Amino acid sequence: MALELVRALEAEDRLPNAGEKRLLAQYTGWGHSPQVFDEIKAIDWEAHQRGHYTYGNDPEGLKNWADRFHGPYLALRDLLSSEEWSRAEGSILNAHDTSREVVVHGLWGIVRRLGFDGGKILENSAGIGHVIGLAPEYIAAESRFTACELDIVTGRMLKLLYPQATVHVMGFQDAKIPAHSQDLVVGNFPFNKQGWPSDKYPFSLHNQFFARSLDLTVPGGLIVAIAYDEVHDSNTGKPRYVKNPERTAAAQDAQQKLKDAYFQWARKSDFVPEIEAEYNAIRNAYRQRQWEPADFRHFPNSSTTVELRPHQKTSVARNMVESNLMAHPVGSGKTYVYATTAMEWKRLGLASKPAIAVLKSTIGQVQDAFRRLYPQARLLVPGEKDFSRENRQKMLARTPTVRRHSANQKTAHLPVSPLLTAVSPRQG
């Protein structure tokens, strides 16, 4: 295990050999398994094992988590100190490996085309150090690397793999790096919206990395990074840079060179067929499904005195196979669609007790429309007396329940009210 190897190397006060370097270089951080750090589930699972009731976490969900992550959770708790655990947990969102192809042909390919041949190089979110390790030999030979890494364990590995580099095991915002000292800043900047507290850099984390990188780069230096759309309209045009026309012009010139180099690479790269294939697979391979209204006049068991309009039949058809938001205007007949969908779900076995949630003030008119379309349907409809304190629970006990999934995947079973419960006449 990489963590155990780090401790052994540090205890023996030596650098890794070739085989140990390969093992360390395979380490990818914590971004792929954030569930390992779910202390609430760990506490709940251990309580569940002792026969205690756990609030908010159902036993089945806890067991699924424990089968996969409780063992690694215990192992990491044993291996990491409290500070190491806290740093590792804090790095989860941005601890994702950048592929070798992107580093070699993307980042360093652009650096080469811009004519950079050596100098002081900063990687401000280094991870395990793949960007340093994959630097072209002629550039690495003429350069001095500085790297920042928030996670303590990853930072210790980084020091062992690249002892020639200056490694700051801390957040980029805390690293003591002189202003205007770096010839090149290169890497994959974190993309979290929430940045560090700063009056000087009041931006998202992604843009904070760009802004501070600009302050650390020499006039005419380069920043080559994987950027997201939000960065283009925020950093380089901030007032503090406009106040320095020379640096602003240099930054704009470097930005244009970067764009030109990228497009030249994109047109000639051996990766063009692969890029085209991936783009076509993602963007050009999907065709919006076209829905045709049913060619029969009436749905099974519905009244023959009412015929749905084409757009209503189409909505019902879609509701049979996919989740569907019906953004129909008032008066377009949504109530008939709800009723028909519920009855068809019931008839086809897609639902046992379909429920329609409506405003209390519209219960009567929805009920009238439903019975007009399905006169023989058995409906459970709350009346005024059912909303009293003494009758409410009795009514809810007769209703179906729905499942609500929250962002942390906890599940609650909630009664739906007020509602209409539809039962097809054929099934009594």
Side-chain angles (χ1 to χ4, degrees):
M1 189 176 182
L3 276 68
E4 296 166 333
L5 175 58
V6 168
R7 288 191 171 182
L9 291 171
E10 291 174 341
E12 297 169 15
D13 192 24
R14 66 176 179 86
L15 295 175
N17 58 37
E20 291 166 336
K21 283 184 177 181
R22 284 193 294 271
L23 176 61
L24 292 177
Q26 293 172 8
Y27 178 77
T28 57
W30 311 108
H32 64 287
S33 54
Q35 301 92 335
V36 171
F37 294 89
D38 197 330
E39 294 186 82
I40 293 177
K41 278 195 172 66
I43 293 171
D44 283 356
W45 172 249
E46 290 160 8
H48 176 71
Q49 291 292 88
R50 296 192 297 270
H52 297 166
Y53 179 76
T54 57
Y55 294 90
N57 274 320
D58 66 283
E60 183 180 354
L62 280 176
K63 186 179 186 308
N64 290 338
W65 176 86
D67 288 344
R68 296 181 61 193
F69 301 112
H70 192 239
Y73 168 86
L74 294 176
L76 281 179
R77 266 301 184 194
D78 184 57
L79 282 171
L80 302 182
S81 67
S82 296
E83 184 182 5
E84 289 170 343
W85 179 277
S86 179
R87 290 277 197 94
E89 188 176 24
S91 72
I92 286 173
L93 185 62
N94 297 299
H96 297 280
D97 192 29
T98 306
S99 72
R100 181 185 184 92
E101 290 74 16
V102 169
V103 173
V104 173
H105 300 286
L107 295 174
W108 286 118
I110 291 172
V111 170
R112 291 197 307 270
R113 285 167 176 77
L114 290 174
F116 184 85
D117 55 10
K120 294 182 178 180
I121 301 175
L122 168 65
E123 187 183 5
N124 55 27
S125 50
I128 201 65
H130 291 321
V131 172
I132 298 175
L134 294 173
E137 290 185 8
Y138 74 93
I139 293 180
E142 300 297 327
S143 298
R144 283 177 289 170
F145 287 95
T146 298
C148 301
E149 173 51 40
L150 174 65
D151 177 47
I152 295 176
V153 174
T154 308
R156 286 156 61 190
M157 294 183 188
L158 186 63
K159 285 185 174 182
L160 290 169
L161 285 169
Y162 303 102
Q164 76 279 13
T166 300
V167 177
H168 299 274
V169 185
M170 60 186 67
F172 178 43
Q173 69 274 19
D174 298 321
K176 305 300 182 184
I177 303 172
H180 316 314
S181 63
Q182 303 299 310
D183 300 297
L184 168 66
V185 181
V186 61
N188 186 0
F189 296 175
F191 53 86
N192 192 10
K193 290 281 186 181
Q194 184 66 43
W196 66 78
S198 174
D199 293 331
K200 185 177 182 181
Y201 307 116
F203 320 126
S204 69
L205 183 66
H206 191 62
N207 285 345
Q208 285 178 331
F209 267 69
F210 267 96
R212 185 161 195 239
S213 295
L214 282 169
D215 285 344
L216 299 183
T217 306
V218 299
L222 296 175
I223 297 178
V224 178
I226 298 172
Y228 299 86
D229 291 342
E230 62 175 272
V231 78
H232 299 307
D233 299 324
S234 38
N235 284 330
T236 57
K238 292 294 175 182
R240 63 179 178 276
Y241 300 115
V242 176
K243 291 177 181 178
N244 188 331
E246 182 180 343
R247 289 199 70 198
T248 301
Q252 291 172 340
D253 181 60
Q255 184 182 44
Q256 187 58 49
K257 287 181 179 178
L258 186 63
K259 288 181 179 179
D260 294 343
Y262 173 78
F263 286 115
Q264 290 176 14
W265 168 80
R267 284 193 293 266
K268 301 177 182 178
S269 171
D270 294 338
F271 285 87
V272 168
E274 182 179 338
I275 293 172
E276 286 180 348
E278 184 170 354
Y279 179 86
N280 288 332
I282 295 173
R283 301 294 183 184
N284 288 342
Y286 179 78
R287 180 176 180 271
Q288 187 69 37
R289 183 170 179 175
Q290 300 298 311
W291 295 90
E292 297 292 336
D295 58 1
F296 49 81
R297 295 186 61 189
H298 307 288
F299 283 87
N301 303 318
S302 68
S303 171
T304 57
T305 64
V306 180
E307 181 177 354
L308 300 190
R309 287 172 278 176
H311 75 274
Q312 294 171 308
K313 294 179 181 179
T314 297
S315 292
V316 173
R318 292 189 66 174
N319 289 339
M320 295 301 106
V321 296
E322 65 183 18
S323 297
N324 184 21
L325 171 63
M326 294 184 295
H328 297 175
V330 176
S332 60
K334 292 189 294 294
T335 303
Y336 280 172
V337 175
Y338 301 153
T340 307
T341 297
M343 297 301 286
E344 285 295 286
W345 278 352
K346 182 74 176 177
R347 185 180 68 85
L348 297 172
L350 300 176
S352 59
K353 291 184 179 179
I356 302 176
V358 301
L359 292 173
K360 182 179 178 182
S361 60
T362 65
I363 288 179
Q365 66 188 68
V366 173
Q367 179 185 7
D368 291 343
F370 203 121
R371 292 198 184 282
R372 193 159 47 245
L373 187 59
Y374 287 93
Q376 300 180 57
R378 294 175 56 200
L379 305 178
L380 175 60
V381 184
E384 190 60 38
K385 292 182 179 180
D386 293 313
F387 293 103
S388 65
R389 182 186 298 273
E390 59 272 16
N391 293 329
R392 187 182 305 144
Q393 291 302 321
K394 296 178 182 178
M395 182 66 187
L396 292 179
R398 301 173 62 194
T399 65
T401 60
V402 295
R403 230 170 226 216
R404 180 182 68 187
H405 293 273
S406 61
N408 61 2
Q409 296 301 307
K410 294 179 180 177
T411 301
H413 296 271
L414 303 176
V416 180
S417 180
L419 53 75
L420 304 169
T421 298
V423 180
S424 70
R426 189 183 66 178
Q427 298 178 354

